[in-house]
mmCIF file of all heavy atoms in Angstrom:
data_model
loop_
_atom_site.group_PDB
_atom_site.id
_atom_site.type_symbol
_atom_site.label_atom_id
_atom_site.label_comp_id
_atom_site.label_asym_id
_atom_site.label_seq_id
_atom_site.Cartn_x
_atom_site.Cartn_y
_atom_site.Cartn_z
ATOM 1 N N TYR A 311 2.588 -76.350 -9.870
ATOM 2 C CA TYR A 311 2.099 -75.819 -8.565
ATOM 3 C C TYR A 311 2.168 -76.982 -7.552
ATOM 4 O O TYR A 311 2.322 -78.161 -7.877
ATOM 5 C CB TYR A 311 0.710 -75.283 -8.645
ATOM 6 C CG TYR A 311 -0.403 -76.212 -9.118
ATOM 7 C CD1 TYR A 311 -0.996 -77.143 -8.270
ATOM 8 C CD2 TYR A 311 -0.857 -76.145 -10.440
ATOM 9 C CE1 TYR A 311 -1.984 -77.989 -8.722
ATOM 10 C CE2 TYR A 311 -1.829 -76.957 -10.879
ATOM 11 C CZ TYR A 311 -2.423 -77.912 -10.028
ATOM 12 O OH TYR A 311 -3.379 -78.728 -10.490
ATOM 13 N N GLN A 315 -2.826 -80.781 0.856
ATOM 14 C CA GLN A 315 -3.990 -81.678 0.596
ATOM 15 C C GLN A 315 -4.442 -82.243 1.958
ATOM 16 O O GLN A 315 -3.639 -82.839 2.679
ATOM 17 C CB GLN A 315 -3.686 -82.747 -0.349
ATOM 18 C CG GLN A 315 -3.250 -82.225 -1.711
ATOM 19 C CD GLN A 315 -3.063 -83.326 -2.721
ATOM 20 O OE1 GLN A 315 -2.419 -84.305 -2.482
ATOM 21 N NE2 GLN A 315 -3.628 -83.162 -3.938
ATOM 22 N N LEU A 323 2.500 -80.758 -7.386
ATOM 23 C CA LEU A 323 1.336 -81.444 -7.899
ATOM 24 C C LEU A 323 1.316 -81.073 -9.407
ATOM 25 O O LEU A 323 1.651 -81.849 -10.241
ATOM 26 C CB LEU A 323 0.076 -81.010 -7.234
ATOM 27 C CG LEU A 323 -0.053 -81.361 -5.735
ATOM 28 C CD1 LEU A 323 -1.140 -80.637 -5.017
ATOM 29 C CD2 LEU A 323 -0.197 -82.873 -5.574
ATOM 30 N N GLY A 324 0.940 -79.823 -9.703
ATOM 31 C CA GLY A 324 0.945 -79.349 -11.064
ATOM 32 C C GLY A 324 -0.263 -79.847 -11.882
ATOM 33 O O GLY A 324 -1.060 -80.657 -11.443
ATOM 34 N N ASP A 325 -0.301 -79.338 -13.153
ATOM 35 C CA ASP A 325 -1.420 -79.675 -14.056
ATOM 36 C C ASP A 325 -1.150 -81.127 -14.576
ATOM 37 O O ASP A 325 -0.480 -81.331 -15.593
ATOM 38 C CB ASP A 325 -1.504 -78.779 -15.264
ATOM 39 C CG ASP A 325 -1.956 -77.363 -14.914
ATOM 40 O OD1 ASP A 325 -2.805 -77.242 -13.978
ATOM 41 O OD2 ASP A 325 -1.515 -76.363 -15.534
ATOM 42 N N GLY A 326 -1.746 -82.069 -13.901
ATOM 43 C CA GLY A 326 -1.494 -83.510 -14.252
ATOM 44 C C GLY A 326 -2.391 -83.955 -15.425
ATOM 45 O O GLY A 326 -2.096 -84.946 -16.034
ATOM 46 N N ARG A 327 -3.461 -83.259 -15.606
ATOM 47 C CA ARG A 327 -4.347 -83.709 -16.690
ATOM 48 C C ARG A 327 -5.054 -82.430 -17.305
ATOM 49 O O ARG A 327 -6.063 -82.543 -17.883
ATOM 50 C CB ARG A 327 -5.395 -84.642 -16.216
ATOM 51 C CG ARG A 327 -6.217 -84.105 -15.100
ATOM 52 C CD ARG A 327 -7.423 -84.966 -14.920
ATOM 53 N NE ARG A 327 -8.004 -84.663 -13.626
ATOM 54 C CZ ARG A 327 -9.112 -85.187 -13.180
ATOM 55 N NH1 ARG A 327 -9.792 -85.977 -13.966
ATOM 56 N NH2 ARG A 327 -9.593 -84.934 -12.014
ATOM 57 N N SER A 355 1.763 -85.527 -14.249
ATOM 58 C CA SER A 355 0.745 -86.526 -14.083
ATOM 59 C C SER A 355 0.995 -87.527 -12.944
ATOM 60 O O SER A 355 0.133 -88.322 -12.640
ATOM 61 C CB SER A 355 0.545 -87.280 -15.381
ATOM 62 O OG SER A 355 0.047 -86.386 -16.407
ATOM 63 N N ARG A 356 2.172 -87.508 -12.419
ATOM 64 C CA ARG A 356 2.598 -88.421 -11.319
ATOM 65 C C ARG A 356 2.163 -89.858 -11.730
ATOM 66 O O ARG A 356 2.588 -90.336 -12.718
ATOM 67 C CB ARG A 356 1.980 -87.980 -10.025
ATOM 68 C CG ARG A 356 2.604 -86.608 -9.568
ATOM 69 C CD ARG A 356 2.021 -86.065 -8.320
ATOM 70 N NE ARG A 356 0.623 -85.711 -8.523
ATOM 71 C CZ ARG A 356 -0.305 -85.738 -7.556
ATOM 72 N NH1 ARG A 356 0.052 -86.045 -6.353
ATOM 73 N NH2 ARG A 356 -1.538 -85.359 -7.831
ATOM 74 N N ALA A 358 -0.806 -90.992 -12.510
ATOM 75 C CA ALA A 358 -2.175 -91.109 -13.138
ATOM 76 C C ALA A 358 -2.056 -90.927 -14.664
ATOM 77 O O ALA A 358 -0.981 -90.676 -15.215
ATOM 78 C CB ALA A 358 -3.106 -90.091 -12.541
ATOM 79 N N ASP A 359 -3.205 -91.041 -15.329
ATOM 80 C CA ASP A 359 -3.214 -91.157 -16.814
ATOM 81 C C ASP A 359 -3.498 -89.849 -17.573
ATOM 82 O O ASP A 359 -3.529 -89.838 -18.761
ATOM 83 C CB ASP A 359 -4.270 -92.208 -17.218
ATOM 84 C CG ASP A 359 -5.696 -91.848 -16.749
ATOM 85 O OD1 ASP A 359 -5.844 -90.730 -16.194
ATOM 86 O OD2 ASP A 359 -6.574 -92.612 -16.954
ATOM 87 N N GLY A 360 -3.736 -88.807 -16.853
ATOM 88 C CA GLY A 360 -4.015 -87.515 -17.527
ATOM 89 C C GLY A 360 -5.350 -87.418 -18.164
ATOM 90 O O GLY A 360 -5.627 -86.430 -18.900
ATOM 91 N N ARG A 361 -6.203 -88.344 -17.940
ATOM 92 C CA ARG A 361 -7.520 -88.398 -18.596
ATOM 93 C C ARG A 361 -8.639 -88.038 -17.625
ATOM 94 O O ARG A 361 -8.493 -88.093 -16.416
ATOM 95 C CB ARG A 361 -7.731 -89.776 -19.157
ATOM 96 C CG ARG A 361 -6.885 -90.079 -20.355
ATOM 97 C CD ARG A 361 -7.246 -89.152 -21.524
ATOM 98 N NE ARG A 361 -6.458 -89.301 -22.701
ATOM 99 C CZ ARG A 361 -6.403 -88.442 -23.685
ATOM 100 N NH1 ARG A 361 -7.041 -87.266 -23.521
ATOM 101 N NH2 ARG A 361 -5.625 -88.604 -24.713
ATOM 102 N N ARG A 399 -11.235 -96.654 -14.640
ATOM 103 C CA ARG A 399 -11.358 -96.017 -13.364
ATOM 104 C C ARG A 399 -11.932 -96.969 -12.292
ATOM 105 O O ARG A 399 -12.866 -97.700 -12.577
ATOM 106 C CB ARG A 399 -12.355 -94.829 -13.438
ATOM 107 C CG ARG A 399 -11.784 -93.579 -14.049
ATOM 108 C CD ARG A 399 -10.729 -92.986 -13.130
ATOM 109 N NE ARG A 399 -10.178 -91.744 -13.722
ATOM 110 C CZ ARG A 399 -9.175 -91.691 -14.604
ATOM 111 N NH1 ARG A 399 -8.564 -92.806 -15.000
ATOM 112 N NH2 ARG A 399 -8.740 -90.580 -15.118
ATOM 113 N N ASP A 495 -4.334 -76.333 -3.490
ATOM 114 C CA ASP A 495 -4.197 -76.392 -4.975
ATOM 115 C C ASP A 495 -5.515 -76.183 -5.687
ATOM 116 O O ASP A 495 -5.547 -76.034 -6.900
ATOM 117 C CB ASP A 495 -3.489 -77.666 -5.401
ATOM 118 C CG ASP A 495 -4.242 -78.916 -4.898
ATOM 119 O OD1 ASP A 495 -4.329 -79.056 -3.703
ATOM 120 O OD2 ASP A 495 -4.719 -79.719 -5.676
ATOM 121 N N ASN A 496 -6.622 -76.202 -4.913
ATOM 122 C CA ASN A 496 -7.931 -76.010 -5.569
ATOM 123 C C ASN A 496 -8.526 -74.629 -5.140
ATOM 124 O O ASN A 496 -9.735 -74.461 -5.152
ATOM 125 C CB ASN A 496 -8.891 -77.110 -5.205
ATOM 126 C CG ASN A 496 -8.500 -78.453 -5.826
ATOM 127 O OD1 ASN A 496 -7.762 -78.463 -6.798
ATOM 128 N ND2 ASN A 496 -8.922 -79.548 -5.233
ATOM 129 N N ASP A 505 -11.873 -76.130 -10.015
ATOM 130 C CA ASP A 505 -11.735 -77.612 -9.865
ATOM 131 C C ASP A 505 -12.954 -78.254 -9.296
ATOM 132 O O ASP A 505 -13.063 -78.558 -8.140
ATOM 133 C CB ASP A 505 -10.513 -77.925 -9.015
ATOM 134 C CG ASP A 505 -9.294 -77.993 -9.878
ATOM 135 O OD1 ASP A 505 -9.335 -77.539 -11.034
ATOM 136 O OD2 ASP A 505 -8.237 -78.574 -9.434
HETATM 137 P P1 AMP B 244 -7.553 -82.795 -7.877
HETATM 138 O O1 AMP B 244 -7.916 -83.785 -6.798
HETATM 139 O O2 AMP B 244 -8.346 -82.919 -9.100
HETATM 140 O O3 AMP B 244 -7.517 -81.387 -7.361
HETATM 141 O O4 AMP B 244 -6.063 -83.107 -8.322
HETATM 142 C C1 AMP B 244 -4.956 -83.137 -7.515
HETATM 143 C C2 AMP B 244 -3.722 -83.350 -8.360
HETATM 144 O O5 AMP B 244 -3.797 -84.673 -8.963
HETATM 145 C C3 AMP B 244 -3.490 -82.382 -9.445
HETATM 146 O O6 AMP B 244 -2.102 -82.214 -9.637
HETATM 147 C C4 AMP B 244 -4.051 -83.035 -10.677
HETATM 148 O O7 AMP B 244 -3.502 -82.602 -11.840
HETATM 149 C C5 AMP B 244 -3.673 -84.496 -10.404
HETATM 150 N N1 AMP B 244 -4.613 -85.437 -11.085
HETATM 151 C C6 AMP B 244 -5.881 -85.747 -10.742
HETATM 152 N N2 AMP B 244 -6.432 -86.577 -11.607
HETATM 153 C C7 AMP B 244 -5.450 -86.893 -12.507
HETATM 154 C C8 AMP B 244 -5.350 -87.788 -13.618
HETATM 155 N N3 AMP B 244 -6.385 -88.478 -13.994
HETATM 156 N N4 AMP B 244 -4.179 -87.828 -14.293
HETATM 157 C C9 AMP B 244 -3.118 -87.084 -13.880
HETATM 158 N N5 AMP B 244 -3.118 -86.194 -12.883
HETATM 159 C C10 AMP B 244 -4.266 -86.127 -12.143
#
Side-chain angles (χ1 to χ4, degrees):
Y311 58 81
Q315 298 187 313
L323 298 168
D325 290 327
R327 58 165 162 176
S355 295
R356 296 177 294 150
D359 60 3
R361 289 294 178 198
R399 281 291 181 276
D495 53 299
N496 292 338
D505 275 12

